Amino acid sequence: MKRVITYGTFDLLHYGHIYLLKRARELGDHLIVGLSTDEFNSVEKGKKSYFTYEERRELLMGVRYVDQIIPETCWKQKREDVRRYHCDVFVMGDDWQGKFDYLKDEGVEVIYLPRTPEISTTMIKEELTEL
Ligand code: C2G
């Protein structure tokens, strides 16, 4: 079984997220999502998600491409995670190009996929405030 892992906040889940998850899942047989906790978002990413961790987890569990969800509580957990969950492939959108190449040392294939243009959580929030 080829195991794939990716990470993110996935707030206001939109088709850009879904297309990332779809492509990630197609790279293997089992997709794990490291979902950023509310605390990680506010302390480390400086962003407050609209939906709580539990709500975002519930939404992601409803996505056919997602097989397993683990909490993302710090930047540094990836190395340990790919070992613990025996991951073969690490995937992120290419806005993170090169940032996680160090995981290759763990024998993991690191793949950055093109982001879906014209959609982002920030854009959704901005456009909703203009309604
Ligand atoms: N994404 C995408 N296309 C978009 C928007 C997002 O492909 N239009 C991808 C991002 O590149 C990322 C994933 O969807 O791979 C989740 O996006 P975010 O929730 O914004 O995740 P981010 O804040 O980048 O957190 O440790 C890694 C971080 O947790 C990633």
Side-chain angles (χ1 to χ4, degrees):
M1 169 183 296
K2 198 167 181 187
R3 301 164 66 84
V4 184
I5 190 164
T6 188
Y7 293 78
T9 298
F10 295 99
D11 191 33
L12 299 187
L13 199 62
H14 55 67
Y15 62 86
H17 295 137
I18 300 297
Y19 188 47
L20 186 284
L21 294 168
K22 178 178 190 295
R23 287 175 292 163
R25 177 65 177 74
E26 286 168 353
L27 290 168
D29 310 291
H30 182 90
L31 176 61
I32 303 169
V33 176
L35 183 60
S36 308
T37 61
D38 297 330
E39 186 183 7
F40 180 63
N41 276 329
S42 56
V43 172
E44 298 295 333
K45 291 185 179 177
K47 61 183 184 182
K48 184 179 178 338
S49 58
Y50 179 82
F51 288 123
T52 65
Y53 175 81
E54 284 310 321
E55 289 165 339
R56 290 181 284 115
R57 187 182 188 288
E58 204 60 36
L59 280 158
L60 276 181
M61 284 310 287
V63 176
R64 68 169 64 199
Y65 308 116
V66 177
D67 298 291
Q68 183 179 1
I69 296 174
I70 61 171
E72 179 184 30
T73 57
C74 72
W75 292 111
K76 294 196 176 348
Q77 71 182 75
K78 296 181 176 69
R79 195 180 284 277
E80 173 58 28
D81 286 350
V82 296
R83 283 191 208 134
R84 176 181 305 156
Y85 298 101
H86 311 291
C87 298
D88 305 288
V89 186
F90 172 92
V91 175
M92 287 302 294
D94 61 4
D95 45 319
W96 292 92
Q97 186 72 42
K99 296 287 191 304
F100 303 111
D101 289 353
Y102 64 86
L103 292 171
K104 292 176 184 171
D105 303 346
E106 300 294 330
V108 171
E109 192 183 351
V110 176
I111 296 176
Y112 302 99
L113 297 172
R115 267 177 80 94
T116 302
E118 315 295 320
I119 183 74
S120 71
T121 304
T122 306
M123 196 177 101
I124 295 170
K125 286 179 179 175
E126 284 168 1
E127 293 199 5
L128 285 175
T129 52
E130 288 159 17
L131 290 181

